Amino acid sequence: MTEKAAMQALARLVPPGSRVLDLGCGNGAMLDYLQRERGCTGYGVEIADANVLACVQRGVQVLQLNLDEGLAMFDDNSFDVVLQIDTLQHLRNAETMLRETARVGRTGIVAFPNFAHWPNRLSVLRGRMPVTRRLPYQWYDTPNIRVGTYKDFEVLATKNSLRILDAFGLQDGHEVRWLPNARAGTAVFHFDHV
Amino acid sequence: MGAYTPLLMSFIATPQTLHFPEVLPLQSGASIRDYHLAYETYGTLNADRSNAVLVCHALNASHHVAGVYAGQPKSEGWWDNMIGPGKPVDTDRFFVIGVNNLGSCFGSTGPMHTHPDTGEVYGADFPVVTVEDWVNAQARLLDRLGVRQLAAVLGGSLGGMQALSWTLQYPDRMRHAVVVASAPNLTAENIAFNEVARRAIVTDPDFHGGHFYRHGVIPKRGLRIARMIGHITYLSDDVMNEKFGRTLRAPAVAAALGQGGIDVADTPSSDLREYLYSTQDVEFQIESYLRYQGDKFSEYFDANTYLLITRALDYFDPARHHGGNLTRALANAAARFLLVSFTTDWRFSPRRSREIVKALLDNRRSVSYAEIDAPHGHDAFLLDDARYMSVMRSYFNSIAKELQP
């Protein structure tokens, strides 16, 4: 989900001037955009060498850390917004990291592939795991080790006492607010902790 | 082309020296005056004097950071792969300064020089110098060179400690700190290694309490052992096994030295040759390597310098006067930071770099951190690793972009 429209839709959730921590920041495009267009500051966290280099090249501050080792480096409420864009599905400690995201940030924004999107359901009905543009991997080589749906995340958020400020789906860069669990390839949750 | 001519000729470097007659107060309360600092510069200081980069050296290096000396083949500076025209720290854009620290043995005033008060060689009377003292001396050198503010201070290991200290001692005189394979202080294990090395030197009968110059001898045995210990800690277990493993020293060499009395003619490879069954001869390749490194080192390095520099490492601890709180210690830092560590470096492990990163985050400072998955241990900071070199190049590119054209 690196499409510009989707990035902009997510960026709209980040108040101008925010101090942002972007977990799994990839090549730093999102932070770069937030810095240039919304006057934000912050850091990305990445593990992949190529992405760390891409961040340094574009002038995005990046910390090469393994998210599976947690966020002990970051203090409580030390960021206005903590982003997890297409990161959750790669994490072994997904629930812990969700709690950590809420601890470190005053608010959190999580976006991940929604496995209940109707083409995915159709595929499973046909007896096969989905392989789509959004989920281009075969079941045996996918890095998406946490396979969840929009509705699943609602349950997990409630279990961890997160207050959902806003939630919607994203499809082709457009917000989907009617039946997002079936109609959107990406689930987006904006939350804080109570 | 001569056999020694490198394909890519490095540039010619010229060492220089400046004399400082004035007194430099030291952290210990002592002081030093009438001292010299050896240094080299590469590239050109730009019109608004904003493109200077100071490179700080570690234990056994010097002001000869890059380039070669005219007419001296194989005289490349210790960080020649990092610094030079078109290199990650590009001397076509930066004015790079390398300086030999006080107490060292490569040209700046050290224990082998004459004490101006007594007219005698300093020897053991050379004052104990700290990282902070070196930084103060470096700042005075910059005054003389007409550099008010550095674009960056760069250093690895003990050099990284100096870069870190710069951000605390002269926050307004620098814009970037690049701290590679370093730490906010030494661990007990690290101090322990230093102490073993120091004891090896001090207990050498040729040491004479540090005044061996008067006796016309050099405590080479101590220096050799100190270097052997150091060398073990600069490598990773994996690299040492890969490089040497359990390989036995080549039988031809053993035979040439008249050792063992084995029939080398029938031995197909050194791995299969018979053990020498000797407790004192060199049996394994790693022993041979360490002895060679130790011998080489003892030929050029000064024993008192080794004691001084390892002590400077031990003493460095900016958090000490802040109740051990590194976050409070770094509150003064204003520079933007790049930190780099190497996963297999157990002497200055990534964990130690992350402590610095955390303290900077707590202070909301600008910082990027690369943790390079390199196999070479602490030595990795001097070697070519594409990921490491690319990150350094990109970071210095971004510094160069801030400069006036």
Side-chain angles (χ1 to χ4, degrees):
Chain A
M1 195 184 50
T2 49
E3 295 86 352
K4 191 154 189 211
M7 190 169 77
Q8 286 167 341
L10 291 168
R12 277 196 291 276
L13 299 173
V14 180
S18 293
R19 186 175 145 84
V20 179
L21 181 66
D22 187 353
L23 303 176
C25 67
N27 62 15
M30 183 70 174
L31 267 177
D32 193 20
Y33 179 83
L34 289 172
Q35 284 170 194
R36 281 186 292 107
E37 302 296 324
R38 295 182 79 78
C40 295
T41 58
Y43 313 86
V45 175
E46 246 304 321
I47 190 162
D49 294 322
N51 282 334
V52 169
L53 178 60
C55 289
V56 174
Q57 275 168 346
R58 71 196 317 160
V60 163
Q61 300 183 82
V62 63
L63 309 173
Q64 190 163 25
L65 302 171
N66 185 352
L67 290 176
D68 281 333
E69 287 166 16
L71 295 180
M73 187 176 278
F74 304 97
D75 275 350
D76 296 1
N77 293 315
S78 53
F79 290 89
D80 298 316
V81 181
V82 178
L83 301 173
Q84 265 197 51
I85 315 270
D86 266 3
T87 300
L88 180 88
Q89 70 264 30
H90 305 308
L91 298 175
R92 270 177 33 216
N93 53 352
E95 183 177 9
T96 305
M97 280 303 297
L98 185 62
R99 280 202 297 269
E100 283 286 274
T101 295
R103 175 184 68 80
V104 168
R106 272 185 262 280
T107 67
I109 298 169
V110 170
F112 63 94
N114 171 30
F115 279 78
H117 190 207
W118 66 265
N120 302 339
R121 298 187 192 203
L122 219 57
S123 184
V124 173
L125 270 180
R126 283 201 307 267
R128 299 291 307 274
M129 282 299 279
V131 179
T132 63
R133 199 155 50 87
R134 182 77 178 98
L135 298 166
Y137 306 99
Q138 293 290 344
W139 64 276
Y140 49 81
D141 67 3
T142 179
N144 300 323
I145 59 170
R146 300 292 171 213
V147 180
T149 70
Y150 185 100
K151 275 210 167 137
D152 286 333
F153 190 87
E154 283 180 334
V155 174
L156 182 65
T158 307
K159 179 180 171 231
N160 286 283
S161 309
L162 303 182
R163 182 169 61 188
I164 292 172
L165 304 171
D166 193 11
F168 53 87
L170 272 180
Q171 185 59 37
D172 301 322
H174 297 292
E175 286 186 18
V176 178
R177 289 186 177 273
W178 179 60
L179 301 177
N181 196 36
R183 296 181 58 241
T186 299
V188 181
F189 287 82
H190 186 196
F191 56 86
D192 65 6
H193 50 104
V194 280
Chain B
M1 261 194 182
Y4 290 115
T5 312
L7 283 177
L8 264 168
M9 274 290 284
S10 200
F11 61 96
I12 300 294
T14 312
Q16 299 174 79
T17 303
L18 271 175
H19 176 236
F20 295 80
E22 67 272 25
V23 169
L24 178 73
L26 302 172
Q27 201 182 345
S28 64
S31 65
I32 187 166
R33 67 178 173 88
D34 260 323
Y35 59 91
H36 292 81
L37 289 180
Y39 70 99
E40 292 179 8
T41 69
Y42 325 114
T44 312
L45 190 60
N46 62 3
D48 64 351
R49 296 166 183 263
S50 62
N51 68 333
V53 173
L54 177 68
V55 180
C56 303
H57 70 75
L59 206 159
N60 67 323
S62 71
H63 52 294
H64 183 41
V65 179
V68 292
Y69 290 145
Q72 290 185 41
K74 290 190 168 178
S75 62
E76 283 83 4
W78 57 273
W79 222 349
D80 191 64
N81 58 341
M82 183 67 76
I83 294 155
K87 305 226 170 124
V89 182
D90 188 351
T91 50
D92 289 336
R93 298 195 282 182
F94 293 109
F95 176 65
V96 176
I97 304 158
V99 54
N100 190 213
N101 285 323
L102 280 174
S104 182
C105 52
F106 296 107
S108 292
T109 299
M112 68 300 300
H113 294 120
T114 306
H115 194 316
D117 291 349
T118 63
E120 303 264 331
V121 171
Y122 276 110
D125 299 328
F126 194 87
V128 168
V129 281
T130 63
V131 166
E132 287 80 0
D133 295 331
W134 286 336
V135 168
N136 286 332
Q138 290 161 5
R140 290 184 176 197
L141 174 71
L142 296 184
D143 293 341
R144 295 276 291 272
L145 296 178
V147 175
R148 162 67 208 135
Q149 189 187 58
L150 292 158
V153 183
L154 161 63
S157 191
L158 173 59
M161 290 176 165
Q162 292 160 63
L164 180 59
S165 202
W166 257 95
T167 70
L168 308 177
Q169 291 176 253
Y170 297 97
D172 60 331
R173 290 196 68 172
M174 59 184 300
R175 298 193 295 279
H176 294 266
V178 180
V179 179
V180 183
S182 196
N185 61 21
L186 289 194
T187 59
E189 184 187 57
N190 251 324
I191 295 171
F193 281 123
N194 283 347
E195 175 60 4
V196 175
R198 281 191 295 264
R199 292 312 294 168
I201 290 170
V202 168
T203 57
D204 185 324
D206 285 338
F207 183 65
H208 295 287
H211 292 291
F212 51 88
Y213 317 92
R214 293 177 194 161
H215 298 80
V217 292
I218 295 169
K220 284 192 178 177
R221 282 161 289 186
L223 274 168
R224 283 190 199 109
I225 292 164
R227 182 57 169 173
M228 288 166 83
I229 294 157
H231 223 89
I232 296 167
T233 69
Y234 305 147
L235 299 177
S236 67
D237 191 22
D238 283 350
V239 155
M240 220 188 253
N241 274 319
E242 192 185 308
K243 234 173 153 174
F244 307 104
R246 292 185 51 83
T247 309
L248 301 181
R249 193 190 201 198
V253 180
L257 293 169
Q259 294 165 340
I262 48 164
D263 187 6
V264 293
D266 294 332
T267 312
S269 86
S270 61
D271 287 356
L272 296 178
R273 79 156 165 79
E274 218 19 80
Y275 284 158
L276 300 172
Y277 294 105
S278 156
T279 55
Q280 296 185 29
D281 295 322
V282 172
E283 181 77 274
F284 294 93
Q285 201 58 45
I286 181 64
E287 299 172 331
S288 168
Y289 173 78
L290 286 177
R291 287 194 192 192
Y292 172 74
Q293 293 293 339
D295 287 347
K296 209 171 62 167
F297 188 71
S298 70
E299 294 295 324
Y300 70 82
F301 210 81
D302 181 83
N304 283 310
T305 293
Y306 204 94
L307 305 184
L308 286 165
I309 296 190
T310 53
R311 223 10 158 195
L313 271 160
D314 295 355
Y315 280 143
F316 182 68
D317 188 6
R320 185 163 182 261
H321 292 293
H322 296 84
N325 185 323
L326 190 63
T327 295
R328 285 220 300 276
L330 298 195
N332 225 15
R336 279 171 280 168
F337 282 78
L338 172 67
L339 285 106
V340 181
S341 74
F342 301 93
T343 50
T344 53
D345 182 351
W346 54 279
R347 189 93 197 246
F348 289 81
S349 74
R351 195 167 57 81
R352 307 308 320 278
S353 285
R354 281 188 231 126
E355 287 175 39
I356 302 174
V357 172
K358 177 172 177 15
L360 291 169
L361 288 172
D362 291 344
N363 283 298
R364 306 196 156 201
R365 292 298 180 269
S366 172
V367 54
S368 280
Y369 170 57
E371 196 169 296
I372 308 290
D373 187 15
H376 305 102
H378 188 54
D379 259 359
F381 92 89
L382 295 169
L383 302 174
D384 285 314
D385 179 288
R387 295 157 296 181
Y388 168 43
M389 288 291 164
S390 305
V391 165
M392 294 291 278
R393 182 182 291 278
S394 299
Y395 194 79
F396 274 92
N397 270 340
S398 65
I399 300 176
K401 277 186 212 146
E402 299 161 7
L403 301 171
Q404 298 293 326

